[in-house]
Amino acid sequence: MDTGRTTVLVLVVLLSTSLLAGVAYSSGSVQETTTTDERYTLFGVQADGWFGYNNGYAAVVDESGNTVWNWSVPNSRVFDTEQLENGNILISVAVSTPQSECPTYYQEDQYDRPCVENRVVEVDYESKDVVWEYSWFDAFPNHHEVHDADRLDSGETAIADMGNHRAFTVDQSGTITWEWNASDHISRGTEWFDEHVPEGSEEEFARNGPESDWTHLNDIDHLENGNFLLSVRNYDVTLEVARNETIVETYGEPGNHSIMNEQHNPNLLENTGTLVVADSGNDRIVEINASTQEVISEYGSVPPGSNVGDPSLRWPRDADRLPNGNTLITDSRRFRILEVAPNGTVVWSHLRQEERSLVYEADRIRLDGEYLPEEPSVADTDDSLVTRTNRPLTDLYATLDSYLAFVPFLPTWLGPLPLLVAIGDLGAGLLLVRELRR
C-alpha cells in the first residue's frame, strides 16, 4: 500500500465531504424577510413534493408567513387563484379521477391512466363552500389541467382550457358565450402559422395527435379594450385576441427565446405600455415594450444577502406589478414567493422549501373589504424592475440546476456543484478502498 497516496485520498474524501455538508447547510438555511405594511398573499400550489403529486391547495398567508386560510379537495392540483370583488375566491383546480369514475370515452386509455376533472370553482371565503362551479373531463391530468380562469365584469368567467387548446367564456348558468380554438387560428395551414412560424420549424409547432401537448395554453386575461390576452406557452408567444376571434397582436416569436421561452402569466400594463412576463424557460422575469417588443428589463437573480436561498430564479410562473411599483414573483422550482422593489431588492418573501411547494401563482389581496385586482394594470410608478442577469457560466449552471430539479429523489440543495463534489467524493472513496485492500 502506498502510504502517501492513501493519505491524499483520505484528505480528498474529508475535504469533499465537508464541502458537500457546507453547501447543504448554506443552501438550506434561509430566513424570511418581511415588510412593515400589513398585507395578505393568496396563492395556488400545484403540488407539495414535486410534479406529478396530487396534493395541491389554495392558501392565504399574512405578512409574517402565517397561514390564515386554506382550501383543497383530494387528489388535486391547484393553479390560478383569484379574489373576487365579493370577497370569494375563484380557483382553477384539476382533480385526478380513477378511470372507473371517468366518462365512458375516457375509460379505454391503453395506459390505464386516470382522467382529469377540471373544475373552476367560486369558494365562499368564510364557509369554504363552493357557491358556483363549471367543470369538464379530459383524457388525463398531465398537460390537460385547467391553469387559469378570470371573472369578468359581466359575470362571465373566462377560462384557458389547455387540454383542448381553446379559450372560452361561460355565463353563470354554465352556457358558453364565446370560444376561441387554436386549431382554427394558429395551426399549420393558417395565415398566422405561415406568417410567424420560421421556415424549417413547421414540424416543431405542428399538432402531433389529439391529446398532445401542442399549445399549452396556460393563461387568459381580459383587457380594458374588451380583448383577451392569451399565453400560448409552447409557441413562446402571447396573443391579443378580439371577441370576433381575430388575432390583433402577437407578442414574441415562435422559437425566438430571446423574447420569451415557455412563458406563464403575462401581464399587460396599460399605463406603461409594457408586458411583464414570467419567462419560465429563461428563468427570469422580463418586461417588454408592447409596441416595439424590445426587452426593457430582465430579472433573473436576487441581490447577494437576500436570505431567500439560491439567488437565481428557477422556472418562475407568475409576476404581478403591484400598485406600489413592486413586483410579486412566484419562483416555482425554488419553492418561494418574492416581492421585489424596482431596484431589485427583496422586500418580502414567503419560503416553502421545506414543503417543496410548487407555487403556481400568487396575488396580493386585502381582507378588510377593499379589493385589489388580480393583475393591477396601473401602478403608482412607471419604473421597470431593474435588470439583474446571470453571467454566461451562471446561466449554464442554472440550466443544469433546472435539469437536476426533474430528478425527484435528489434533495433541493443538490445543484451541479455539490453533485460534482459528491461524485468526486465517491470516486475518491472507491480508490481509497482499493488502496486499503492492497
Side-chain angles (χ1 to χ4, degrees):
M1 180 176 66
D2 188 330
T3 304
R5 180 182 295 179
T6 302
T7 301
V8 169
L9 289 173
V10 169
L11 289 174
V12 168
V13 171
L14 291 175
L15 178 60
S16 58
T17 302
S18 64
L19 285 172
L20 190 61
V23 170
Y25 177 79
S26 62
S27 297
S29 300
V30 292
Q31 296 180 349
E32 185 170 305
T33 304
T34 61
T35 58
T36 56
D37 296 333
E38 185 175 67
R39 64 195 64 195
Y40 296 90
T41 303
L42 166 69
F43 58 92
V45 172
Q46 180 176 350
D48 277 351
W50 196 240
F51 296 100
Y53 289 92
N54 298 310
N55 56 2
Y57 51 90
V60 176
V61 294
D62 62 20
E63 64 167 344
S64 298
N66 302 309
T67 300
V68 299
W69 186 88
N70 63 76
W71 179 91
S72 65
V73 292
N75 304 314
S76 67
R77 306 171 187 180
V78 171
F79 294 91
D80 180 65
T81 55
E82 169 185 341
Q83 185 186 45
L84 303 179
E85 289 194 61
N86 61 10
N88 292 345
I89 307 297
L90 191 68
I91 302 171
S92 298
V93 54
V95 182
S96 180
T97 305
Q99 273 203 12
S100 60
E101 300 175 21
C102 300
T104 304
Y105 46 91
Y106 289 136
Q107 292 183 7
E108 300 176 357
D109 182 76
Q110 60 178 322
Y111 303 106
D112 197 32
R113 291 172 294 194
C115 70
V116 60
E117 182 183 15
N118 286 309
R119 303 175 61 194
V120 176
V121 296
E122 180 181 343
V123 177
D124 182 277
Y125 186 87
E126 298 298 333
S127 68
K128 299 185 182 179
D129 292 334
V130 174
V131 298
W132 180 86
E133 176 173 354
Y134 184 84
S135 64
W136 69 99
F137 285 91
D138 211 331
F140 48 84
N142 287 350
H143 309 307
H144 288 66
E145 315 106 318
V146 57
H147 274 41
D148 190 40
D150 284 353
R151 178 63 51 79
L152 310 185
D153 292 340
S154 63
E156 297 168 294
T157 301
I159 300 172
D161 179 4
M162 180 184 298
N164 293 301
H165 313 288
R166 64 171 180 159
F168 65 99
T169 61
V170 296
D171 62 19
Q172 289 292 300
S173 69
T175 301
I176 294 178
T177 55
W178 176 82
E179 188 171 10
W180 183 90
N181 287 282
S183 57
D184 295 334
H185 300 281
I186 63 172
S187 63
R188 176 181 277 182
T190 63
E191 182 180 344
W192 187 94
F193 190 97
D194 294 340
E195 179 181 349
H196 291 276
V197 172
E199 185 177 352
S201 300
E202 291 85 359
E203 290 299 323
E204 179 184 353
F205 296 101
R207 189 169 186 176
N208 183 23
E211 303 300 341
S212 64
D213 186 25
W214 170 43
T215 59
H216 206 96
L217 200 160
N218 58 24
D219 190 64
I220 182 169
D221 289 338
H222 192 235
L223 302 178
E224 291 183 1
N225 62 9
N227 294 341
F228 292 99
L229 196 67
L230 308 180
S231 171
V232 187
R233 193 200 79 170
N234 286 355
Y235 272 58
D236 310 311
V237 300
T238 296
L239 306 176
E240 182 177 342
V241 175
R243 277 276 188 172
N244 64 7
E245 302 184 32
T246 303
I247 299 173
V248 298
E249 190 63 69
T250 298
Y251 302 103
E253 301 171 9
N256 182 353
H257 294 164
S258 67
I259 304 174
M260 286 182 276
N261 182 6
E262 298 196 343
Q263 75 290 336
H264 290 77
N265 284 304
N267 182 12
L268 184 62
L269 303 181
E270 306 281 353
N271 64 323
T272 60
T274 60
L275 200 66
V276 177
V277 185
D279 189 12
S280 310
N282 286 325
D283 295 317
R284 66 180 182 174
I285 305 304
V286 66
E287 188 161 355
I288 301 166
N289 183 304
S291 298
T292 66
Q293 305 218 24
E294 173 191 4
V295 173
I296 297 172
S297 69
E298 50 181 319
Y299 186 87
S301 64
V302 303
S306 295
N307 294 321
V308 294
D310 196 295
S312 64
L313 304 185
R314 189 169 75 187
W315 200 253
R317 291 193 288 179
D318 190 29
D320 293 344
R321 183 64 43 79
L322 301 177
N324 64 4
N326 294 346
T327 303
L328 191 66
I329 300 169
T330 60
D331 193 9
S332 289
R333 293 184 189 170
R334 296 284 185 215
F335 316 116
R336 62 192 178 186
I337 305 169
L338 308 174
E339 181 182 346
V340 179
N343 65 4
T345 303
V346 176
V347 298
W348 180 85
S349 63
H350 181 57
L351 310 179
R352 303 188 65 84
Q353 285 95 335
E354 186 173 329
E355 300 90 346
R356 288 176 60 92
S357 299
L358 289 166
V359 185
Y360 181 77
E361 188 261 359
D363 296 332
R364 183 58 41 76
I365 66 171
R366 301 283 294 266
L367 295 181
D368 57 2
E370 293 192 32
Y371 170 69
L372 289 176
E374 182 188 23
E375 294 179 332
S377 60
V378 178
D380 294 336
T381 175
D382 291 344
D383 293 338
S384 300
L385 185 59
V386 70
T387 291
R388 284 190 56 82
T389 57
N390 297 314
R391 296 177 180 178
L393 286 179
T394 310
D395 280 336
L396 176 60
Y397 185 91
T399 300
L400 294 174
D401 196 22
S402 187
Y403 288 145
L404 285 178
F406 280 104
V407 184
F409 57 82
L410 293 180
T412 59
W413 53 264
L414 192 61
L417 178 59
L419 180 60
L420 287 175
V421 171
I423 293 173
D425 194 1
L426 177 63
L430 292 174
L431 289 175
L432 177 60
V433 169
R434 190 178 72 173
E435 284 296 318
L436 292 175
R437 286 182 175 179
R438 285 187 176 183

